[in-house]
Structure formats: C-alpha cells, structure tokens
Amino acid sequence: MSQQEYYIVGGILNADAQSYIERQADINLCEGLKAGKCCYVFNSRQMGKSSLRIRVRKKLEKEGFKCIVITLDGLGVESVTRENWYFSFIKKIAEDINVQTSELLSWWQENNILPGTLVDRVKDFIEQILLKKTHQNIIIFLDEIDSVLSLDFPTDDFFAFIRYCYNQRANNPKYEKITFALLGVATPSQLIQDMRRTPFNIGEAIQLNGFSFAEARLLTQGLESKVSDSKIAEEIIQQVIHWTGGQPFLTQKLCKMIAKHDKNIPKEKNLIRKWVEELVRSRIINNWEEQDHPQHLRTIRDRIINSKEPTVKLLKLYQKIRLYQELPFDDSPEQSELVLSGLVVESNQNLKIYNRIYEYIFDSQWVAKVLADKRPYEEELLGWLSSGQNKSWLLRGQKLRTAMKWYAGKNLTIEDYQFLNASQELAIKNYHRLHLIWGIPASLLIMGNGLFVWHDWQKITDQIVQIVRNVSSPYFLEPELFSQGEKTFSLGDGTVSPQDAITAFKDKKYSEAVKQFAILKNIERSNPEFEIYYNNALAHDKGNYLSLAVVVPVDGRRENVIEILRGVAQAQANFNNKGGLEGRLLNIVIANDSNNPSQAQRVAQELIKDQNVIGVIGHNDSQATRSALYKYEKAGLPIISSTSTSTSLSHQQSKVFFRTVTSDQESGMKLAEYAIKKNIKRVVIYYRYKNIYSESLKQAFETSFRSQGGEIVRSQNLADPKLDVRYEVYLSAIQEQADAAIFFPNIELTYKVIEIAHAQQQFSKLPKKLKMLGGNSLYSPQIFQKDPNAIEGLILAVPWFSDKSSNSQQSKFVVGARNRWERAQISWRMAASYDATQAFIKAMSSSDNPSRQSVLKELLSINLSPDESSGNGLKFIEGETKQEPVLVQVVRGDFVKVDENEPSSK
C-alpha cells in the first residue's frame, strides 16, 4: 500500500477512499434522508462535507433512492441573471433524469409566456416533469449552498420553495417523494434574509464533528510500512489528534507528512510526542503562510478579514475565547461567523479554539497585526450610519486619538471622513473649556465639489493631538482611571453609599469630605479605599501635601487589589497620624491599569504630567510594569513595585525601578533547592505560555533544578484549550513517572491548577501521588474555595509570610494590620506594598525639599529597620530587596510556614 496514496489532502475523497473516516454524521445524514427529513450540514470549509455527501449518496443509491447532486457554485455567481440561474438549476435536474436539452428548452419557452414567477416555474417543473418521470424516492443534494449569498439578486424565494415542498406533503402526497440535503458554509438564518418573511425553519441539523481518536484509529493503516508496531502507530495518531483536534484536512495532511518523512520515527512515547511536535512546528506553524499548501490556514484568515461581520467584533470575540479558553455559545452573528471560519468550534454549548495549531498560528500577535490594518472604529462607524448619525456613536478620548493616528496616509471613504470630522468637532467643543485650542479651525474645509481638503484635516488633527497630549491637565483625558477621592472604584461591600463624601471632595469642600470619609471607613473597616480617601481629604484640607500614586488592576482579582491598597493605606495613615513631614501630609492617587500594557502606558503618561506625584507604587503585573517603565525612566519618576517579580525587570535596565518583592530568580532557586532536598528528581512544569511572570519563574526554576541534577520531563501550557486535567495526571504520574508537578500559572489560570489537583485526588489507584510545588500567584484564599483537600501539601515560594499564631512573635506592622483590617492572615502583597510606601516616605523624609530627583537619589541608600518595615527591614541592593523567599505549605485549608531545617528525604 502506497503511503502517499492512502492519505488524501486538499480534495474530495471518493466513495471508496481507504482513508475515509466514517463519523456519526454519516449515520445521521443517511438515516435522516431515508426518513424523508430535510437535512442540512452547515460547517466550515475542509471539514469533509462533500466527501460525506459522496459517501451517503452511494449508500442511498444502493438502497434504491434517486440522488441528484447540484453544486450551486456551478450555476454561476458573478453577473448571472436571475432567469439564467433558475434555468441552470432546472437543467441540472433535467440532465439527471434524462430529459433532452431541446425538450427542456421547448418546455421553458412555453411556460415563459405564462404568468408567474421563476420559482413558480420551478414548481411546475417538479410537478409536470420530475415527479412524472421518476418513480423512485428523490433526494436532491444542494452543495456549496453559501454561493447563493453572493448572487446579485435575493434567493429568499428559492429557499421558501424548498419549505413549500415540505408543506405540500399534506396536500399532495407526491411531494413525499422529494427530500433535500443542504451542504455548505452558512447558517439557516442566512438563507432567508428578508425579516418580513418566515425564516428557514425546517429540517434537521447534522452535526459534523472532527475525528475522535477512536474514529481516527483507521488512519494507522497508512503507517503500516513506516511503523511495524501497531501501538506505536496508534500513539502517532493520538499525537496527531492532539495537535489537529481531529480537523479532517489537517489530520490527513499531518499523517501524510509523517508517512512521507524520510527519517525513522522514534519508538518511545515521550520521544514520539516530541518528534510530532517538532514536525508540526517546522512544517506547519513556522512560516505558515508560505507552507500553507494546499491552502487551508489562509482560507481561515481570509474568511475573518473579509467577513460581512465587522472584523473588529470577530477578533474581539476571538480574543475573549483565547483569554477564557471557552465562552458560552449564544448563536449571535459574530459567534456563528467565527464557527463558519473554522477557527473555533462549538462543543457542549461552548465555543473554544478548534485546535492547538490554530491557537499557535492565530495568536495575539496575529490579532494585533490584523487589527492594526483595520480601521479601529469599525463598530462605531456602522452604529453612527445606521442610527442616523447619532452623536453617541462618535469617537472620544483614547478611541479618537487612536483613529487620528491610524488614518494618516490612508485613502478613506466619504463616510469615514464625515464620521471622523464629526468626532473631531465634538472633541474640539469638549476641549474648548481648556482655552488652549482657540484659533484652530473647528471643521474641515469642504470644496464646492464636496471633496475634503485632506491636508487641512491632517493639520487640524495633528495640532489637537499635540495640544491635548502635552498641555492638558493630568487625568483629564481618561478621568475614569484615576481617583484621589473624586470617585470610587467600588472595592467595598456596598453597605453604605459614598456619594456625599465624593461630592464634597469634588467640590473641594475638604473638611466635609474628611467627616464623610471618616464615617465610611469606620463602617467598612476592611475597605482600604475609604481609608486612603479620608487621608487624602485631610491632606487636601491642610494643603501643601506630598503625593504618591499606586497603580493596581481594579478590575482584576479583587482580593489582590484590596491587599495592595491595604498596605499603602496603612503606611499613609501612620505617616499622616504623626503629622506628616513638617506638617505636609501624604496624598495617594489610585490609578487603574487593568493589568493591560497599553493602558499602563497611558496611566504612566498621566502620572508623569502630575508634578505633585514624586513616586509610583506598582504596577501589579510584570508585563504592565515593563511596558510603562520607559516612560517613568524618561521622566525620572521613581517606581517601586510590590508585586512585579519577573527577571526581565531590573534596576540595571532602568535606574528608576526598585521592588520590595523577591524576584522570580530567587523564588525559582528556592523551589528547586527544596525539590532536590526532598529527593524530587523528575518534574512536569505547568505554566502560562508567553506570560513574562510565568516564563520568568519557569526559566529560573529550570536552570537551578537542572544544575542540581533534576530532570524536566515536560512543560505544559495551562492555557492550552485541549488540556485534559485527568489525562494530565495520568500522563505525568503514570506514563512519565514524574515525582512532582510544578505550577507557575498567571493569576487568571490558577483555577486550572485546582482542577489538576482535584483530578489527582479522584484517581484511586495512582502508584504515587505527584507532589505539588508552585509560585506566589497561587497564594490566595481563593484556592481553598473548591476543594481544600485536593491541594493539601502544596508548597509555595512567597516573598513574605507571617504566621497566624498569636503566640508567635509578630512585627509592629503585622500587629497594626491585624487590628486595622480585622484580618488574622496578612498577605505578602500587603506587606510588600507597605514596604514600598514606607521606602518612599523615608526617602521623602530624608530630602530637604522632596522631589522626584531627590527621592530617587535617597532610595539608593534607603535602610528601613524592622519596625519601619513589614518586619525584616529593607535595603535596596541594585534595586532589589535581598530578603529570601519563604516556603509555605497548605495544611488543612491554611498556609503554614515550612520548616526548612527538616531532614532531607531519602
């Protein structure tokens, strides 16, 4: 058997093709048509619809059915008239029932003089010719159904006719002989688009899924001359499905690549896995546009880029699916279009990325590149046009700035120019109160022939962009991202309304704001936001205050944000209660960067403008910190991060950067040393691909672990949509015989770690349970919510730890934090943000006239005593705190410090 002939790539498989895989759809379509049901197989391209049609047709013809196949794209699409199209449709049927062309033309001309529509003529043909000449039951396959959507005339009547054929069965039993099967890349709602008509609501949907491993076992036959061991062949096919998700085209293509490969295939499962992965990366993923032959991946790309649905909407939806791994399927036009592109698949009422190959190729960088080429205001423009130019759709703030930057040098439509002009005029009207844009023309010049003077438009927008960016007041452009007391980020439990306090602060009635915020902070004692605003009101009331900013992801994990702000609030309150610095109190600006690099840069730009801000605590996420750092560097504004641990951040790279949290380098080494000490020699690492915190910690652990003789059996991306937690436990603990699972998720993927731990607990006959170690992102009360027993024994490396026990000696900070926040457990995030604020306070106090420059200089030699810090003292050496990470262990639903002096395991 020729391996190359066995697998068929890029074409329709004939009825006798050896590599044809029968799926449930084969059975469902055949049985449905035999029962007289109208069936439709609507799916993305290259899923095997036409091959399915050929196979089912052969079966039905063996059972005596008359099958007629019409590929509708063959009837013509471009410039075809309505009459020619319907005639071609009838002619295809006539040819199948041996009606001569001359006979058909004569009939057509006779009926042409009779009143009625073209659809009426089709009905007449069915009744007068088809039903009379054919005594068998008739099945009409309509393939490439989506081609009718591109015709120059509506085809609602055609699909209404198909519905008519079914409805006529009650009046004319002869119509029971006719059954239709529709195949193509469409949805039922697209077939009849006139909203005034009854939708296409007949028939049975035939779900055409990708190959399961059980179905794909047949493909091992094509590897018989390549691999003699059937178990090895099955392992290869399993790895193929692991990458393709069972997508038929890709599965056949990858199998053919393997069969044609000139090198020997390894025999060990671990090596097979790696071998297949390298083949996929080198022959499919890398330089995918050049290697995409026959075309498949480019078809998906082109479908999305040229979709009738707004591309921006599709890509935003796709980004959400990438972020959350899956989303509930609601059959919206955007979701349906993504499914029809083939990029995502609907499974169990959820949408997810179809396979790992697509996930690697159509990644976030690809999305960003496509969006960069698309107009960034597509949704708003469509809304503006369809609403009769309602002003609510016009661009504002960052969206307008993005649009003005994007349009330069582009040749746009008249609607684009009108929309951007209207948005610009609204912006000018809003900016007028700055008294900075007088003299700039407020509208575009329009020539007599209606054409815009484009160079004047460019001058206007360039002037506005420069004026607003450089001269506008701090926090003016995006006030929703900042607060000193003018708004609340709603971090409390909502038991009391802050409106009176906020109004007083905004109206600069600071004495009243002090009273109101005092009431609020005493009612919601655990809410640090009110504590900060109370102290801010005190500072503003007294005047000549000092300012720091703290940047947090307000819409991120709520508990983590609150912990960071508690540390800042506690240090601020202590400082202000002592009278501040010679009467100058401390004011804190809270800023929200949403852990988003782009937003982090905009936040940094506004903080830099506020000359009162002489230091920044933040950002939370390492990637957000890195993206904003060059702006702080350029402005000479010192930043101390209490949570960004990535080794890609350092004082050596940026002289304004410091941190009060141990780096991933230290944490990775700590975990590696503990693992070796406990005789853990083989590990599997679970991490988040392309997340700089996750990869930084992974790299630090790997380097240290390997240098001490440890072996990394495998690394697994936790964001992989195909990740099966039960299979992971089986693979790691049984097949790979790993000693431990090492977890380095970003915060958004901690739930996956819990699922893996829970899956391990469900295995009753594991030869040994995997030990579990992890990074500080897992240090949160939330990990105990689902199943505390599943994570019993989990070891984490955290930057700081305080035992809950009241008998243990506690620092001044811990005692104060427990009393103020009424919490027994004080987190490392609270301690590190307290230390960051204290470092700034000490630097300001050491300066004769605190400024950004003087504070930056003083930070280099800061030396906090244990009483001035969270308990261990603080001194920066090249911007880093030199305290060691602490190992904690989950014991009976709580975190307990590990006794590192315990004897080593043997």
Side-chain angles (χ1 to χ4, degrees):
M1 180 189 301
S2 170
Q3 298 162 353
Q4 296 185 26
E5 292 175 3
Y6 183 85
Y7 301 112
I8 300 174
V9 181
I12 299 174
L13 276 68
N14 62 43
D16 300 317
Q18 297 176 73
S19 63
Y20 182 87
I21 294 176
E22 186 167 290
R23 291 171 273 179
Q24 187 62 41
D26 290 71
I27 299 169
N28 294 346
L29 180 60
C30 194
E31 294 301 319
L33 294 174
K34 285 164 62 176
K37 297 177 182 178
C38 174
C39 297
Y40 54 89
V41 185
F42 292 162
N43 212 310
S44 57
R45 298 213 172 278
Q46 297 174 316
M47 277 294 293
K49 297 182 293 297
S50 297
S51 299
L52 168 68
R53 181 249 302 161
I54 288 174
R55 194 84 165 189
V56 169
R57 175 188 180 177
K58 184 176 181 180
K59 287 183 178 179
L60 291 171
E61 286 179 337
K62 281 184 177 179
E63 296 188 34
F65 287 85
K66 175 62 181 177
C67 294
I68 299 171
V69 176
I70 304 175
T71 54
L72 295 180
D73 59 345
L75 305 184
V77 175
E78 293 184 7
S79 303
V80 64
T81 65
R82 189 193 305 251
E83 184 169 359
N84 285 344
W85 190 87
Y86 277 99
F87 177 76
S88 297
F89 175 77
I90 289 175
K91 184 172 180 288
K92 288 287 185 185
I93 299 176
E95 289 171 352
D96 251 315
I97 57 173
N98 299 318
V99 174
Q100 298 298 316
T101 303
S102 56
E103 182 184 348
L104 177 64
L105 282 170
S106 176
W107 178 89
W108 182 266
Q109 290 168 359
E110 288 174 7
N111 282 267
N112 197 28
I113 61 175
L114 299 175
T117 65
L118 289 168
V119 170
D120 289 330
R121 212 172 303 174
V122 175
K123 293 177 187 174
D124 292 341
F125 176 82
I126 295 292
E127 293 180 358
Q128 296 172 18
I129 297 179
L130 178 63
L131 291 176
K132 286 183 178 179
K133 282 186 171 286
T134 309
H135 303 292
Q136 304 158 276
N137 285 338
I138 305 163
I139 296 173
I140 301 176
F141 290 90
L142 302 179
D143 206 347
E144 303 293 344
I145 202 83
D146 46 291
S147 66
V148 304
L149 304 177
S150 301
L151 292 170
D152 294 333
F153 53 88
T155 51
D156 292 5
D157 288 343
F158 176 73
F159 292 105
F161 156 71
I162 294 176
R163 184 173 58 216
Y164 164 84
C165 290
Y166 278 81
N167 293 338
Q168 273 296 98
R169 289 178 175 183
N171 303 318
N172 186 348
K174 288 184 178 180
Y175 274 90
E176 292 180 2
K177 292 172 59 179
I178 303 176
T179 301
F180 289 87
L182 283 58
L183 303 95
V185 185
T187 63
S189 62
Q190 292 175 331
L191 302 184
I192 297 180
Q193 298 188 8
D194 188 341
M195 302 300 291
R196 296 167 297 180
R197 304 184 69 163
T198 305
F200 190 78
N201 54 3
I202 62 167
E204 181 171 307
I206 304 298
Q207 191 70 32
L208 186 60
N209 298 317
F211 304 147
S212 67
F213 172 63
E215 292 168 336
R217 271 199 177 98
L218 174 73
L219 298 178
T220 58
Q221 295 176 9
L223 300 174
E224 286 178 353
S225 60
K226 188 80 176 176
V227 178
S228 57
D229 190 329
S230 61
K231 290 186 177 179
I232 293 176
E234 286 192 2
E235 179 63 26
I236 292 170
I237 298 302
Q238 190 164 15
Q239 289 307 309
V240 168
I241 299 299
H242 174 70
W243 279 99
T244 67
Q247 204 285 334
F249 177 92
L250 284 178
T251 301
Q252 292 271 1
K253 180 174 183 175
L254 185 51
C255 284
K256 190 167 187 175
M257 284 181 180
I258 293 169
K260 291 175 64 178
H261 205 279
D262 56 0
K263 293 183 180 178
N264 291 330
I265 299 173
K267 296 182 179 180
E268 295 182 17
K269 288 185 177 181
N270 289 343
L271 296 178
I272 291 172
R273 183 180 303 108
K274 188 66 177 175
W275 187 84
V276 173
E277 178 179 346
E278 289 177 355
L279 184 66
V280 170
R281 290 187 183 278
S282 64
R283 299 283 298 279
I284 297 178
I285 295 176
N286 297 341
N287 300 316
W288 64 271
E289 288 175 298
E290 295 179 11
Q291 299 198 93
D292 188 33
H293 300 288
Q295 182 169 313
H296 172 74
L297 300 167
R298 286 172 292 161
T299 301
I300 295 173
R301 175 201 64 190
D302 294 345
R303 172 93 190 191
I304 291 172
I305 292 175
N306 301 317
S307 171
K308 290 182 179 179
E309 295 298 324
T311 303
V312 174
K313 268 189 175 182
L314 294 180
L315 293 179
K316 283 183 177 179
L317 173 61
Y318 176 60
Q319 281 288 59
K320 278 188 179 180
I321 298 171
R322 286 187 61 83
L323 178 62
Y324 298 111
Q325 281 78 60
E326 58 182 37
L327 287 179
F329 182 61
D330 58 18
D331 206 22
S332 67
E334 296 82 21
Q335 289 198 356
S336 297
E337 182 62 17
L338 266 190
V339 170
L340 291 178
S341 75
L343 183 54
V344 304
V345 64
E346 184 266 319
S347 176
N348 298 322
Q349 292 300 306
N350 284 309
L351 286 186
K352 58 183 181 179
I353 300 175
Y354 201 123
N355 56 51
R356 289 168 63 89
I357 291 175
Y358 295 166
E359 185 180 12
Y360 279 103
I361 288 174
F362 302 107
D363 59 7
S364 296
Q365 289 183 341
W366 176 82
V367 172
K369 184 176 182 298
V370 174
L371 286 176
D373 294 334
K374 285 284 179 180
R375 56 189 176 202
Y377 51 85
E378 190 169 359
E379 291 179 53
E380 290 83 359
L381 174 61
L382 293 174
W384 185 69
L385 293 172
S386 62
S387 65
Q389 301 188 358
N390 188 304
K391 287 184 179 180
S392 65
W393 287 100
L394 294 177
L395 303 177
R396 294 167 175 80
Q398 178 61 28
K399 285 190 175 181
L400 178 56
R401 295 196 298 278
T402 301
M404 289 192 293
K405 183 178 179 181
W406 174 83
Y407 72 63
K410 290 183 171 65
N411 189 15
L412 305 180
T413 66
I414 189 73
E415 289 84 4
D416 283 282
Y417 295 144
Q418 291 171 342
F419 176 68
L420 292 172
N421 182 35
S423 298
Q424 178 116 315
E425 288 182 339
L426 180 64
I428 293 173
K429 183 178 178 181
N430 290 339
Y431 295 151
H432 185 74
R433 60 194 173 94
L434 290 175
H435 306 292
L436 294 171
I437 57 174
W438 293 345
I440 296 176
S443 63
L444 295 175
L445 298 175
I446 303 180
M447 301 176 66
N449 61 4
L451 296 176
F452 290 95
V453 181
W454 183 238
H455 68 273
D456 286 341
W457 165 269
Q458 290 180 309
K459 289 178 182 177
I460 293 168
T461 52
D462 289 345
Q463 289 178 59
I464 290 178
V465 171
Q466 286 304 115
I467 288 171
V468 173
R469 283 182 178 171
N470 298 333
V471 189
S472 64
S473 304
Y475 321 128
F476 175 77
L477 293 178
E478 294 181 277
E480 69 277 7
L481 301 182
F482 305 90
S483 181
Q484 299 171 74
E486 308 91 340
K487 67 183 290 293
T488 175
F489 289 114
S490 303
L491 298 174
D493 54 22
T495 56
V496 61
S497 170
Q499 194 55 52
D500 290 343
I502 289 169
T503 301
F505 194 95
K506 287 170 70 174
D507 292 343
K508 299 185 179 180
K509 298 176 181 178
Y510 297 121
S511 296
E512 179 62 22
V514 169
K515 294 176 185 177
Q516 294 293 337
F517 280 124
I519 295 170
L520 294 173
K521 78 185 187 76
N522 288 325
I523 294 174
E524 289 194 9
R525 286 189 55 78
S526 63
N527 182 2
E529 197 177 8
F530 292 151
E531 180 70 62
I532 288 173
Y533 296 156
Y534 165 76
N535 276 282
N536 286 355
L538 286 173
H540 283 252
D541 191 38
K542 190 160 188 179
N544 195 28
Y545 51 82
L546 301 162
S547 270
L548 297 173
V550 56
V551 186
V552 289
V554 168
D555 38 10
R557 182 173 282 181
R558 181 189 179 92
E559 186 60 35
N560 292 356
V561 173
I562 290 173
E563 287 172 353
I564 293 168
L565 292 181
R566 281 176 183 160
V568 174
Q570 188 171 334
Q572 179 197 25
N574 291 345
F575 180 73
N576 287 355
N577 289 342
K578 294 174 183 176
L581 177 60
E582 297 178 356
R584 299 180 69 181
L585 302 185
L586 180 59
N587 174 71
I588 299 290
V589 181
I590 302 177
N592 173 28
D593 73 352
S594 299
N595 275 347
N596 180 288
S598 175
Q599 189 166 312
Q601 290 182 9
R602 304 200 306 272
V603 164
Q605 184 63 44
E606 296 305 301
L607 294 177
I608 288 165
K609 282 188 203 173
D610 187 351
Q611 292 301 313
N612 290 322
V613 173
I614 56 181
V616 176
I617 301 154
H619 297 220
N620 171 67
D621 178 72
S622 292
Q623 201 147 340
T625 304
R626 185 170 67 176
S627 70
L629 196 52
Y630 81 95
K631 288 186 176 288
Y632 295 126
E633 174 85 30
K634 188 175 180 181
L637 180 57
I639 168 175
I640 304 178
S641 179
S642 58
T643 53
S644 296
T645 58
S646 172
T647 53
S648 67
L649 301 165
S650 73
H651 183 73
Q652 291 176 329
Q653 293 174 331
S654 176
K655 298 304 179 185
V656 299
F657 177 76
F658 302 81
R659 59 178 153 210
T660 53
V661 62
T662 51
S663 73
D664 292 335
Q665 182 67 33
E666 302 296 325
S667 298
M669 289 173 60
K670 189 81 170 180
L671 286 170
E673 289 169 2
Y674 176 85
I676 295 297
K677 183 179 179 181
K678 293 297 180 181
N679 204 32
I680 295 171
K681 298 294 186 183
R682 291 167 54 83
V683 303
V684 175
I685 298 178
Y686 293 92
Y687 74 111
R688 175 62 164 102
Y689 177 63
K690 287 189 177 180
N691 177 270
I692 67 170
Y693 156 75
S694 193
E695 293 205 335
S696 168
L697 190 51
K698 172 178 174 283
Q699 183 179 2
F701 176 85
E702 285 179 342
T703 302
S704 180
F705 189 63
R706 283 175 171 147
S707 70
Q708 299 176 71
E711 179 186 353
I712 311 296
V713 176
R714 178 170 54 92
S715 294
Q716 173 64 47
N717 179 16
L718 283 166
D720 181 356
K722 296 291 185 181
L723 187 141
D724 182 323
V725 292
R726 283 188 61 83
Y727 179 70
E728 283 298 322
V729 173
Y730 168 78
L731 195 63
S732 300
I734 298 177
Q735 277 199 280
E736 297 167 337
Q737 296 185 345
D739 301 315
I742 313 296
F743 298 114
F744 298 141
N746 59 336
I747 287 173
E748 289 75 17
L749 287 173
T750 53
Y751 76 96
K752 278 288 185 186
V753 175
I754 309 304
E755 288 179 359
I756 292 172
H758 182 71
Q760 174 169 241
Q761 192 184 34
Q762 300 305 304
F763 271 95
S764 56
K765 295 182 179 180
L766 282 179
K768 65 175 180 179
K769 285 205 168 185
L770 292 168
K771 295 181 174 66
M772 297 179 290
L773 287 74
N776 60 51
S777 61
L778 289 166
Y779 186 89
S780 170
Q782 292 186 347
I783 70 167
F784 300 121
Q785 290 178 359
K786 182 176 180 180
D787 186 1
N789 294 328
I791 55 171
E792 183 75 10
L794 171 66
I795 300 287
L796 303 179
V798 296
W800 180 96
F801 185 75
S802 175
D803 200 300
K804 276 186 180 181
S805 171
S806 58
N807 298 323
S808 59
Q809 185 177 357
Q810 302 294 351
S811 69
K812 190 176 178 180
F813 157 74
V814 171
V815 173
R818 285 178 176 171
N819 290 335
R820 173 61 189 86
W821 308 113
E822 299 176 347
R823 293 286 189 276
Q825 186 72 63
I826 307 302
S827 77
W828 67 264
R829 295 179 185 87
M830 196 189 309
S833 60
Y834 178 84
D835 285 346
T837 315
Q838 285 291 94
F840 273 127
I841 289 172
K842 186 71 175 281
M844 290 187 293
S845 301
S846 303
S847 306
D848 294 332
N849 184 24
S851 66
R852 294 176 179 178
Q853 292 75 20
S854 67
V855 167
L856 181 56
K857 181 180 177 182
E858 293 297 332
L859 285 174
L860 296 171
S861 56
I862 280 294
N863 191 356
L864 299 182
S865 68
D867 279 351
E868 293 175 304
S869 67
S870 58
N872 297 320
L874 177 66
K875 188 175 183 179
F876 292 122
I877 300 176
E878 295 185 342
E880 304 281 349
T881 175
K882 285 305 175 182
Q883 68 181 52
E884 284 193 13
V886 180
L887 294 179
V888 298
Q889 185 173 24
V890 173
V891 178
R892 293 186 293 276
D894 202 357
F895 295 111
V896 176
K897 187 175 181 180
V898 172
D899 182 1
E900 296 183 48
N901 295 319
E902 279 185 349
S904 301
S905 298
K906 294 183 180 180

